[in-house]
Amino acid sequence: MAQTRIIIADDHPLFRAALRQTIETHYGNALIEEAGDIEALTGLLEKSRDCDLVLLDLAMPGVRGFSGLLLVRAQYPDIPVMIVSASDDQQTMSRSIDLGASGFLPKSTNADAIQASMKTVLDGGIWVPDGFTFDDAQAEIAEYTKRLSTLTPQQVRVLMMLSDGLMNKQIAYELSVSEATVKAHVSAILQKLNVDSRTQAVIVASKLEQGQIEAVAGA
């Protein structure tokens, strides 16, 4: 039987250690790895894509809002991702599941519930806390989250750089690609998000950072 591989991606070492200890009590033979930022996480996944579960914090260096989830889901679509976050409001949980997370684990969750959640996700299910209800999102909101989930990892990076005010030349330099490639990415982003301009795309990025996806639905 193959060894279960789990990656904890969170920028707080004490929380990672506590979560690791909880996991080890139930999955003693699991290979548990840790990442303190998005670059470390993608590095571990590039080293080996054979991973059973990523436990991902929404707020850590290198990501904003749901951008980390979008990046991992776009680049590693076969790897289940469970969000582990202190932001456990209904909206954040709903949007996480909408964007492809296999579960949502509030950081206040007790050890028994953590074990139950991991078993559910590792068995191929979706886990949410007791009392959570899937909201009846309007059709345009559901459509908008679908559009976001179609962005490639590079397009998510370009979108975030657009929100930082970088021009095509600067983005090209940061990503080590040509300006023509950046222009192609921008065009694809506008098309996928169904917006007409870079300005509208930047608004989208800003809302993504704040987790306010529904505020720009249909933009």
Side-chain angles (χ1 to χ4, degrees):
M1 184 174 179
Q3 183 181 33
T4 301
R5 182 185 180 213
I6 299 167
I7 301 177
I8 303 171
D10 189 287
D11 62 330
H12 293 94
L14 290 179
F15 178 78
R16 293 200 307 268
L19 186 54
R20 170 190 279 269
Q21 184 174 20
T22 299
I23 295 171
E24 287 176 339
T25 62
H26 194 72
Y27 296 94
N29 295 323
L31 171 61
I32 303 173
E33 297 176 293
E34 300 180 20
D37 55 41
I38 195 66
E39 294 299 328
L41 172 59
T42 54
L44 288 173
L45 292 174
E46 278 302 305
K47 182 178 68 174
S48 173
R49 292 177 178 240
D50 184 14
C51 179
D52 297 284
L53 178 63
V54 171
L55 299 168
L56 177 67
D57 187 10
L58 286 176
M60 63 177 182
V63 299
R64 307 180 201 154
F66 297 99
S67 64
L69 174 59
L70 285 170
L71 276 169
V72 176
R73 295 298 302 139
Q75 199 158 356
Y76 312 97
D78 296 329
I79 300 176
V81 178
M82 182 154 61
I83 297 301
V84 183
S85 178
S87 301
D88 57 359
D89 57 280
Q90 176 82 21
Q91 176 182 299
T92 302
M93 288 191 281
S94 294
R95 295 292 78 80
S96 295
I97 302 301
D98 288 344
L99 290 170
S102 294
F104 193 101
L105 191 67
K107 287 193 172 182
S108 57
T109 304
N110 62 42
D112 289 341
I114 290 174
Q115 292 175 3
S117 71
M118 291 186 60
K119 184 180 188 306
T120 297
V121 174
L122 287 169
D123 287 344
I126 293 178
W127 191 91
V128 290
D130 289 340
F132 172 86
T133 56
F134 289 94
D135 57 7
D136 295 324
Q138 298 175 5
E140 62 266 29
I141 297 175
E143 178 61 29
Y144 187 74
T145 55
K146 284 182 182 178
R147 294 177 203 159
L148 280 171
S149 65
T150 65
L151 296 179
T152 67
Q154 197 77 320
Q155 287 165 1
V156 174
R157 294 186 181 97
V158 170
L159 181 57
M160 292 297 100
M161 290 181 181
L162 288 176
S163 73
D164 287 334
L166 272 62
M167 303 303 293
N168 286 357
K169 184 176 182 179
Q170 295 169 302
I171 296 174
Y173 175 79
E174 291 292 332
L175 297 178
S176 300
V177 298
S178 69
E179 285 189 62
T181 297
V182 173
K183 289 179 181 178
H185 282 314
V186 172
S187 295
I189 291 168
L190 299 185
Q191 182 178 17
K192 288 183 176 182
L193 298 184
N194 195 28
V195 296
D196 299 321
S197 68
R198 292 169 67 105
T199 299
Q200 287 180 309
V202 167
I203 293 172
V204 169
S206 175
K207 297 302 183 181
L208 173 62
E209 177 179 350
Q210 298 168 40
Q212 299 172 344
I213 292 177
E214 53 273 87
V216 290

